[in-house]
Amino acid sequence: MNRDDFRAGLRGGFPIMLAASPFGALFGALAVDNGFTIADAVFMSATVYAGASQMVGIELFGNNVQPWLVVLSVFAVNFRHVLYSASIAKYISHFSFGQKLLAFFLLVDPQYAETEQRGERGLPVTFAWYLGFGLVIYVPWIINTLVGAIFGQLIGDPKSIGLDVLLPIYFLGLVLGFRKRDRFLPVVATSAVASIAAMHFVGSPWHVSIGALAGILLAAVLPPEHRLQQGSTTVEKEA
Amino acid sequence: MDAQHLNLIYLIVAAALATFATRFGGYVLITQLKRIPPRLEAALNAVPAAVLTTLVAPAFVYGGFDVAVSMLVAFAIGMRFSTLRMLVVGWVAVMVIRHVIL
């Protein structure tokens, strides 16, 4: 393995790691607040390793949503990764099978964006570079989760220090991150109305699946705004 | 470890497998399929915003006055700035409402 490539990867991933750190800590604190132990929170960060969906997972778990629906929601929020792995397939075809497995495990939004850019510019995407970039984000993500979870355990009433508003605001930020996408407004408006109505008439947790389904069906039925160009898969902001 | 906690461990493992499936799935898909049908692509494209909206809208409507106001403030910030700033400003807003105004 090439040490220079590995170091270049470490350097490239470093600013991303700094930007993601508060979110790792936030996840740890909110996970404990939603009934996780410190070990559970760390275990989730180490195995799922997808910030937004981890937040969704703890939010639904804290609201006693059925497990299959929690897993389905995590799957849905991470669905964009299907596009990522399809898109970078051509740049990592020289990886061995084991290297590919590890590469896909580490495929978070910035990892995708950097790999895509590197490949497009004709720079070699070596496994050493990919691993360096991935590990400098992955390892601190776990450590920050631990720190946040320990802090979360020290807090008595999360509401008195305003922790309870952070998840809805975080999710709002993620929704806004998608606002350049096709059919954003009709999809969001439909899912909003449907989930509010479902919360009132059916009750939690069904508002998640009913609201999401309404927006997704609308997107499938509406005529397309414009043809998507190949390779136009965009990266949304995510922790 | 009691049964309920064991269920949480299973849940996390299932979530990890589901996430890995999305990260590996596209690679499998691209080597099998040549093109994704446009309506399916449109539907898939809408999935994350649709799911996340269902976690935002009911919290805004049923979460109480303090939560709704801080979400509005955060929304205004989010149109221009990063998610991190939304969190900081939204948090300050809810603390002011709870501890200073109310």
Side-chain angles (χ1 to χ4, degrees):
Chain A
M1 206 163 69
N2 187 321
R3 274 161 183 268
D4 287 342
D5 279 7
F6 185 75
R7 277 203 212 97
L10 290 179
R11 270 197 306 276
F14 190 78
I16 313 278
M17 177 273 281
L18 288 183
S21 287
F23 294 101
L26 181 65
F27 167 75
L30 294 178
V32 167
D33 178 37
N34 278 277
F36 277 45
T37 65
I38 295 174
D40 296 336
V42 171
F43 181 61
M44 192 177 198
S45 275
T47 55
V48 177
Y49 186 44
S53 70
Q54 287 179 228
M55 301 281 197
V56 171
I58 57 170
E59 156 92 3
L60 296 179
F61 176 78
N63 287 310
N64 295 314
V65 171
Q66 302 95 315
W68 65 269
L69 195 53
V70 178
V71 175
L72 190 66
S73 302
V74 166
F75 184 76
V77 170
N78 285 329
F79 210 89
R80 65 194 185 285
H81 293 126
V82 172
L83 301 173
Y84 297 173
S85 65
S87 185
I88 67 160
K90 54 185 176 292
Y91 302 126
I92 65 163
S93 57
H94 59 283
F95 286 16
S96 72
F97 185 69
Q99 289 175 338
K100 274 179 193 149
L101 288 183
L102 187 57
F104 288 130
F105 174 75
L106 292 172
L107 188 60
V108 290
D109 303 67
Q111 183 92 39
Y112 161 71
E114 280 296 311
T115 305
E116 182 76 42
Q117 262 188 19
R118 227 177 137 80
E120 237 166 55
R121 273 191 269 138
L123 292 167
V125 178
T126 62
F127 181 67
W129 171 83
Y130 192 102
L131 191 66
F133 192 94
L135 287 182
V136 79
I137 305 171
Y138 177 70
V139 174
W141 177 254
I142 297 170
I143 297 169
N144 283 310
T145 301
L146 177 66
V147 172
I150 292 169
F151 174 74
Q153 197 135 71
L154 300 176
I155 299 163
D157 176 18
K159 226 180 155 178
S160 72
I161 62 157
L163 276 192
D164 57 309
V165 293
L166 296 182
L167 272 181
I169 291 175
Y170 175 75
F171 294 137
L172 176 64
L174 291 178
V175 171
L176 289 180
F178 293 109
R179 67 182 182 274
K180 300 266 155 56
R181 278 198 180 185
D182 277 5
R183 309 174 194 83
F184 173 79
L185 275 181
V187 167
V188 166
T190 305
S191 286
V193 171
S195 64
I196 291 165
M199 183 77 122
H200 184 79
F201 293 110
V202 189
S204 179
W206 293 102
H207 65 288
V208 178
S209 26
I210 293 171
L213 203 60
I216 294 162
L217 284 177
L218 182 82
V221 170
L222 281 182
E225 280 175 20
H226 63 265
R227 280 272 146 263
L228 286 170
Q229 300 293 307
Q230 225 205 341
S232 70
T233 310
T234 47
V235 180
E236 279 78 23
K237 65 176 176 181
E238 190 224 17
Chain B
M1 195 182 286
D2 60 85
Q4 209 186 346
H5 194 196
L6 201 61
N7 284 340
L8 173 58
I9 302 295
Y10 289 145
L11 177 66
I12 294 173
V13 171
L17 290 175
T19 302
F20 187 73
T22 64
R23 288 178 178 162
F24 199 57
Y27 178 78
V28 175
L29 209 66
I30 202 81
T31 45
Q32 302 293 319
L33 273 181
K34 282 191 186 72
R35 239 173 67 84
I36 304 170
R39 289 214 184 269
L40 178 62
E41 187 174 340
L44 296 182
N45 209 27
V47 167
V51 173
L52 290 165
T53 299
T54 69
L55 301 176
V56 176
F60 178 75
V61 174
Y62 302 113
F65 171 77
D66 47 359
V67 171
V69 172
S70 27
M71 286 177 78
L72 273 181
V73 172
F75 174 75
I77 299 293
M79 293 307 286
R80 293 280 309 273
F81 303 103
S82 69
T83 307
L84 199 56
R85 286 199 210 183
M86 288 177 72
L87 286 167
V88 172
V89 177
W91 176 78
V92 169
V94 84
M95 290 301 275
V96 168
I97 295 169
R98 279 180 193 165
H99 297 281
V100 182
I101 300 176
L102 296 182

